[in-house]
């Protein structure tokens, strides 16, 4: 049981480049989330998906897009990376319909230069 | 939308002492309140949670209390140990697919 798997673990981008962060879960959860973590600001919700085929904006969606490809996978795309997007990104899945524990991936450390 | 405030941002205690971290939430419809522990270089992991129909929950050295009227909840760690040193996050959610919103985090340091 792998839980939540994120790729890549580390990435350096130049300003203006694009990339997609991948996330997959094997717990049959309906809800999946993308957070960014910055010093002193906790975990801020970028986008979430309450079920396959639906996505909604969180607290800080600007500069990002998401795709809920199927029940297992939820990807986060940066179309034109900016230095302000330097952060650690976490994917999580959550059995919200059963109020069960949310599980987090190990994170992607992204640096935009 | 939901807003979660967490205090203090840093907390230093001596081994064996107790530690208390407090959170307030804004949305009275929130009914699920988990606490997460994050160790360096890792993703957050659930340590305890409480639902709105319960006022207190305990698991060995860890306890959480919830005051729905005041919209605040707290994490209590007794007999702290150096391995309790980590960043702790509170969160709040409305069930059934609702957003899980986190507080800003508390960096706990337990000195031997």
């Amino acid at each position: 049981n792998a839980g939540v798997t994120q790729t890549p673990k580390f990435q350096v981008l130049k300003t203006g480049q694009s990339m997609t962060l991948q996330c997959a879960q094997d717990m049959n959860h309906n809800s999946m989330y993308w957070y960014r973590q910055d010093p002193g600001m906790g975990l801020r919700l970028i986008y979430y998906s309450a079920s396959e085929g639906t996505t909604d904006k969180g607290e800080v969606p600007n500069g990002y897009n998401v795709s809920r490809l199927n029940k297992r996978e939820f990807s986060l795309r940066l179309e034109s990376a900016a230095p302000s997007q330097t952060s650690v990104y976490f994917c999580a899945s959550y059995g919200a319909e059963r109020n069960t524990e949310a599980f987090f991936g190990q994170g992607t450390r992204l640096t935009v230069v | 939308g939901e807003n979660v405030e967490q205090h203090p941002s840093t907390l230093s205690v001596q081994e064996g002492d107790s530690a208390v971290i407090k959170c307030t939430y804004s949305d009275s419809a929130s009914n699920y309140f988990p606490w997460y522990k994050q160790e360096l270089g890792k993703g957050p992991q659930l340590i305890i949670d409480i639902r709105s129909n319960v006022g207190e929950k305990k698991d060995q050295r860890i306890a959480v209390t919830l005051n729905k009227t005041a919209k605040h909840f707290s994490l209590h760690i007794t007999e702290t140990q150096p391995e309790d040193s980590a960043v702790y996050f509170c969160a709040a959610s409305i069930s059934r697919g609702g957003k899980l919103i986190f507080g800003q985090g508390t960096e706990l340091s337990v000195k031997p």
Side-chain angles (χ1 to χ4, degrees):
Chain A
N1 187 348
V4 179
T5 303
Q6 282 183 244
T7 55
K9 287 186 169 54
F10 301 94
Q11 184 72 48
V12 179
L13 288 179
K14 293 183 179 178
T15 297
Q17 285 186 316
S18 62
M19 79 160 295
T20 299
L21 281 65
Q22 306 287 354
C23 176
Q25 55 97 2
D26 61 4
M27 294 169 286
N28 203 36
H29 286 164
N30 281 329
S31 299
M32 296 185 73
Y33 301 77
W34 276 105
Y35 293 90
R36 60 178 288 173
Q37 184 174 27
D38 303 291
M41 308 206 55
L43 291 155
R44 292 184 293 168
L45 183 63
I46 304 171
Y47 270 94
Y48 71 109
S49 171
S51 61
E52 185 179 352
T54 68
T55 60
D56 285 287
K57 295 179 180 179
E59 302 165 272
V60 288
N62 291 344
Y64 305 95
N65 284 301
V66 291
S67 294
R68 183 73 182 268
L69 304 169
N70 47 56
K71 193 170 187 179
R72 289 188 66 247
E73 298 172 289
F74 188 38
S75 63
L76 178 72
R77 183 159 177 85
L78 287 71
E79 290 290 353
S80 178
S84 60
Q85 294 178 305
T86 293
S87 188
V88 181
Y89 291 85
F90 286 99
C91 175
S93 75
Y94 175 34
E97 63 282 359
R98 301 186 299 276
N99 255 354
T100 59
E101 173 182 353
F103 289 88
F104 283 79
Q106 289 290 80
T108 296
R109 184 172 294 276
L110 175 67
T111 302
V112 183
V113 297
Chain B
E2 176 67 280
N3 184 50
V4 179
E5 297 287 333
Q6 181 173 347
H7 299 282
S9 57
T10 60
L11 180 59
S12 181
V13 300
Q14 287 295 131
E15 182 177 0
D17 287 351
S18 296
V20 180
I21 302 170
K22 298 182 178 182
C23 289
T24 60
Y25 61 98
S26 61
D27 192 337
S28 56
S30 293
N31 58 6
Y32 176 61
F33 307 94
W35 284 89
Y36 283 80
K37 177 182 181 181
Q38 185 181 28
E39 296 176 339
L40 200 60
K42 297 185 178 180
Q45 286 195 300
L46 182 77
I47 54 172
I48 195 167
D49 58 13
I50 192 167
R51 289 163 175 74
S52 58
N53 58 346
V54 175
E56 184 174 357
K57 184 176 179 181
K58 196 171 182 180
D59 183 5
Q60 298 183 343
R61 297 186 297 109
I62 294 173
V64 58
T65 59
L66 171 65
N67 183 327
K68 283 184 62 181
T69 303
K71 291 193 280 189
H72 67 69
F73 56 114
S74 300
L75 178 71
H76 304 253
I77 306 174
T78 58
E79 300 171 26
T80 53
Q81 301 166 4
E83 51 265 38
D84 294 330
S85 296
V87 179
Y88 291 80
F89 291 98
C90 62
S93 172
I94 303 168
S95 62
R96 299 196 178 279
K99 294 182 284 188
L100 189 58
I101 301 298
F102 283 80
Q104 296 83 355
T106 297
E107 185 174 0
L108 174 64
S109 175
V110 181
K111 300 187 186 310

